[in-house]
PDB file of all heavy atoms in Angstrom:
ATOM      1  N   PHE A 158     -32.752 -27.735 -33.837  1.00 95.00           N
ATOM      2  CA  PHE A 158     -31.775 -28.628 -34.453  1.00 95.00           C
ATOM      3  C   PHE A 158     -30.966 -27.949 -35.549  1.00 95.00           C
ATOM      4  O   PHE A 158     -30.095 -28.591 -36.158  1.00 95.00           O
ATOM      5  CB  PHE A 158     -32.439 -29.905 -34.990  1.00 95.00           C
ATOM      6  CG  PHE A 158     -33.463 -29.677 -36.077  1.00 95.00           C
ATOM      7  CD1 PHE A 158     -33.072 -29.586 -37.411  1.00 95.00           C
ATOM      8  CD2 PHE A 158     -34.810 -29.591 -35.770  1.00 95.00           C
ATOM      9  CE1 PHE A 158     -34.019 -29.410 -38.417  1.00 95.00           C
ATOM     10  CE2 PHE A 158     -35.755 -29.409 -36.768  1.00 95.00           C
ATOM     11  CZ  PHE A 158     -35.362 -29.309 -38.099  1.00 95.00           C
ATOM     12  N   ASP A 159     -31.228 -26.707 -35.853  1.00 94.00           N
ATOM     13  CA  ASP A 159     -30.362 -25.986 -36.788  1.00 94.00           C
ATOM     14  C   ASP A 159     -29.153 -25.441 -36.039  1.00 94.00           C
ATOM     15  O   ASP A 159     -29.183 -25.266 -34.821  1.00 94.00           O
ATOM     16  CB  ASP A 159     -31.125 -24.845 -37.467  1.00 94.00           C
ATOM     17  CG  ASP A 159     -31.614 -23.811 -36.465  1.00 94.00           C
ATOM     18  OD1 ASP A 159     -32.244 -24.216 -35.450  1.00 94.00           O
ATOM     19  OD2 ASP A 159     -31.359 -22.616 -36.668  1.00 94.00           O
ATOM     20  N   SER A 160     -28.080 -25.184 -36.767  1.00 92.00           N
ATOM     21  CA  SER A 160     -26.852 -24.694 -36.151  1.00 92.00           C
ATOM     22  C   SER A 160     -26.445 -23.381 -36.800  1.00 92.00           C
ATOM     23  O   SER A 160     -27.034 -22.943 -37.790  1.00 92.00           O
ATOM     24  CB  SER A 160     -25.725 -25.724 -36.282  1.00 92.00           C
ATOM     25  OG  SER A 160     -25.293 -25.815 -37.625  1.00 92.00           O
ATOM     26  N   ALA A 161     -25.428 -22.759 -36.236  1.00 88.00           N
ATOM     27  CA  ALA A 161     -24.867 -21.547 -36.828  1.00 88.00           C
ATOM     28  C   ALA A 161     -24.218 -21.902 -38.161  1.00 88.00           C
ATOM     29  O   ALA A 161     -23.861 -23.063 -38.411  1.00 88.00           O
ATOM     30  CB  ALA A 161     -23.856 -20.921 -35.879  1.00 88.00           C
ATOM     31  N   PRO A 162     -24.031 -20.924 -39.048  1.00 81.00           N
ATOM     32  CA  PRO A 162     -23.540 -21.228 -40.404  1.00 81.00           C
ATOM     33  C   PRO A 162     -22.243 -22.000 -40.452  1.00 81.00           C
ATOM     34  O   PRO A 162     -22.040 -22.802 -41.352  1.00 81.00           O
ATOM     35  CB  PRO A 162     -23.373 -19.833 -41.022  1.00 81.00           C
ATOM     36  CG  PRO A 162     -24.385 -18.999 -40.318  1.00 81.00           C
ATOM     37  CD  PRO A 162     -24.416 -19.519 -38.921  1.00 81.00           C
ATOM     38  N   ARG A 163     -21.350 -21.804 -39.521  1.00 77.00           N
ATOM     39  CA  ARG A 163     -20.041 -22.441 -39.629  1.00 77.00           C
ATOM     40  C   ARG A 163     -19.845 -23.575 -38.635  1.00 77.00           C
ATOM     41  O   ARG A 163     -18.810 -24.217 -38.650  1.00 77.00           O
ATOM     42  CB  ARG A 163     -18.949 -21.386 -39.402  1.00 77.00           C
ATOM     43  CG  ARG A 163     -18.982 -20.257 -40.406  1.00 77.00           C
ATOM     44  CD  ARG A 163     -18.146 -19.079 -39.942  1.00 77.00           C
ATOM     45  NE  ARG A 163     -18.643 -18.501 -38.703  1.00 77.00           N
ATOM     46  CZ  ARG A 163     -19.594 -17.561 -38.655  1.00 77.00           C
ATOM     47  NH1 ARG A 163     -20.134 -17.116 -39.762  1.00 77.00           N
ATOM     48  NH2 ARG A 163     -19.993 -17.087 -37.500  1.00 77.00           N
ATOM     49  N   ALA A 164     -20.773 -23.771 -37.742  1.00 86.00           N
ATOM     50  CA  ALA A 164     -20.560 -24.685 -36.623  1.00 86.00           C
ATOM     51  C   ALA A 164     -21.255 -26.022 -36.826  1.00 86.00           C
ATOM     52  O   ALA A 164     -22.402 -26.065 -37.292  1.00 86.00           O
ATOM     53  CB  ALA A 164     -21.068 -24.035 -35.339  1.00 86.00           C
ATOM     54  N   PRO A 165     -20.591 -27.135 -36.465  1.00 91.00           N
ATOM     55  CA  PRO A 165     -21.270 -28.438 -36.489  1.00 91.00           C
ATOM     56  C   PRO A 165     -22.435 -28.513 -35.512  1.00 91.00           C
ATOM     57  O   PRO A 165     -23.318 -29.355 -35.674  1.00 91.00           O
ATOM     58  CB  PRO A 165     -20.153 -29.415 -36.092  1.00 91.00           C
ATOM     59  CG  PRO A 165     -18.881 -28.698 -36.408  1.00 91.00           C
ATOM     60  CD  PRO A 165     -19.151 -27.251 -36.152  1.00 91.00           C
ATOM     61  N   GLY A 166     -22.421 -27.649 -34.490  1.00 92.00           N
ATOM     62  CA  GLY A 166     -23.550 -27.592 -33.566  1.00 92.00           C
ATOM     63  C   GLY A 166     -23.642 -28.772 -32.628  1.00 92.00           C
ATOM     64  O   GLY A 166     -24.751 -29.199 -32.283  1.00 92.00           O
ATOM     65  N   ALA A 167     -22.506 -29.291 -32.170  1.00 94.00           N
ATOM     66  CA  ALA A 167     -22.545 -30.434 -31.263  1.00 94.00           C
ATOM     67  C   ALA A 167     -23.237 -30.075 -29.945  1.00 94.00           C
ATOM     68  O   ALA A 167     -24.100 -30.808 -29.460  1.00 94.00           O
ATOM     69  CB  ALA A 167     -21.128 -30.929 -30.999  1.00 94.00           C
ATOM     70  N   THR A 168     -22.879 -28.919 -29.382  1.00 93.00           N
ATOM     71  CA  THR A 168     -23.520 -28.488 -28.141  1.00 93.00           C
ATOM     72  C   THR A 168     -24.672 -27.546 -28.401  1.00 93.00           C
ATOM     73  O   THR A 168     -25.674 -27.552 -27.685  1.00 93.00           O
ATOM     74  CB  THR A 168     -22.483 -27.826 -27.217  1.00 93.00           C
ATOM     75  OG1 THR A 168     -21.392 -28.730 -26.997  1.00 93.00           O
ATOM     76  CG2 THR A 168     -23.098 -27.468 -25.882  1.00 93.00           C
ATOM     77  N   ASP A 169     -24.548 -26.700 -29.420  1.00 90.00           N
ATOM     78  CA  ASP A 169     -25.611 -25.755 -29.764  1.00 90.00           C
ATOM     79  C   ASP A 169     -26.264 -26.166 -31.088  1.00 90.00           C
ATOM     80  O   ASP A 169     -25.856 -25.700 -32.153  1.00 90.00           O
ATOM     81  CB  ASP A 169     -25.034 -24.344 -29.865  1.00 90.00           C
ATOM     82  CG  ASP A 169     -26.104 -23.304 -30.125  1.00 90.00           C
ATOM     83  OD1 ASP A 169     -27.267 -23.561 -29.766  1.00 90.00           O
ATOM     84  OD2 ASP A 169     -25.772 -22.245 -30.696  1.00 90.00           O
ATOM     85  N   SER A 170     -27.299 -27.043 -31.077  1.00 86.00           N
ATOM     86  CA  SER A 170     -27.873 -27.580 -29.864  1.00 86.00           C
ATOM     87  C   SER A 170     -28.072 -29.087 -30.029  1.00 86.00           C
ATOM     88  O   SER A 170     -29.101 -29.630 -29.703  1.00 86.00           O
ATOM     89  CB  SER A 170     -29.210 -26.862 -29.604  1.00 86.00           C
ATOM     90  OG  SER A 170     -29.692 -27.105 -28.334  1.00 86.00           O
ATOM     91  N   GLY A 171     -26.988 -29.732 -30.565  1.00 94.00           N
ATOM     92  CA  GLY A 171     -27.071 -31.170 -30.791  1.00 94.00           C
ATOM     93  C   GLY A 171     -27.234 -31.969 -29.517  1.00 94.00           C
ATOM     94  O   GLY A 171     -27.970 -32.966 -29.475  1.00 94.00           O
ATOM     95  N   VAL A 172     -26.545 -31.536 -28.445  1.00 96.00           N
ATOM     96  CA  VAL A 172     -26.667 -32.252 -27.174  1.00 96.00           C
ATOM     97  C   VAL A 172     -28.112 -32.228 -26.688  1.00 96.00           C
ATOM     98  O   VAL A 172     -28.647 -33.254 -26.226  1.00 96.00           O
ATOM     99  CB  VAL A 172     -25.720 -31.625 -26.130  1.00 96.00           C
ATOM    100  CG1 VAL A 172     -26.062 -32.137 -24.737  1.00 96.00           C
ATOM    101  CG2 VAL A 172     -24.279 -31.934 -26.459  1.00 96.00           C
ATOM    102  N   ALA A 173     -28.777 -31.083 -26.795  1.00 96.00           N
ATOM    103  CA  ALA A 173     -30.159 -30.987 -26.348  1.00 96.00           C
ATOM    104  C   ALA A 173     -31.075 -31.892 -27.164  1.00 96.00           C
ATOM    105  O   ALA A 173     -31.998 -32.514 -26.620  1.00 96.00           O
ATOM    106  CB  ALA A 173     -30.636 -29.536 -26.423  1.00 96.00           C
ATOM    107  N   VAL A 174     -30.838 -31.976 -28.482  1.00 97.00           N
ATOM    108  CA  VAL A 174     -31.632 -32.873 -29.322  1.00 97.00           C
ATOM    109  C   VAL A 174     -31.462 -34.315 -28.856  1.00 97.00           C
ATOM    110  O   VAL A 174     -32.441 -35.067 -28.686  1.00 97.00           O
ATOM    111  CB  VAL A 174     -31.237 -32.719 -30.793  1.00 97.00           C
ATOM    112  CG1 VAL A 174     -31.912 -33.793 -31.643  1.00 97.00           C
ATOM    113  CG2 VAL A 174     -31.596 -31.329 -31.308  1.00 97.00           C
ATOM    114  N   ALA A 175     -30.212 -34.726 -28.653  1.00 96.00           N
ATOM    115  CA  ALA A 175     -29.942 -36.098 -28.214  1.00 96.00           C
ATOM    116  C   ALA A 175     -30.538 -36.360 -26.833  1.00 96.00           C
ATOM    117  O   ALA A 175     -31.082 -37.450 -26.576  1.00 96.00           O
ATOM    118  CB  ALA A 175     -28.436 -36.340 -28.196  1.00 96.00           C
TER     119      ALA A 175
END
Side-chain angles (χ1 to χ4, degrees):
F158 62 86
D159 62 310
S160 71
R163 300 165 298 273
T168 305
D169 184 25
S170 193
V172 167
V174 172

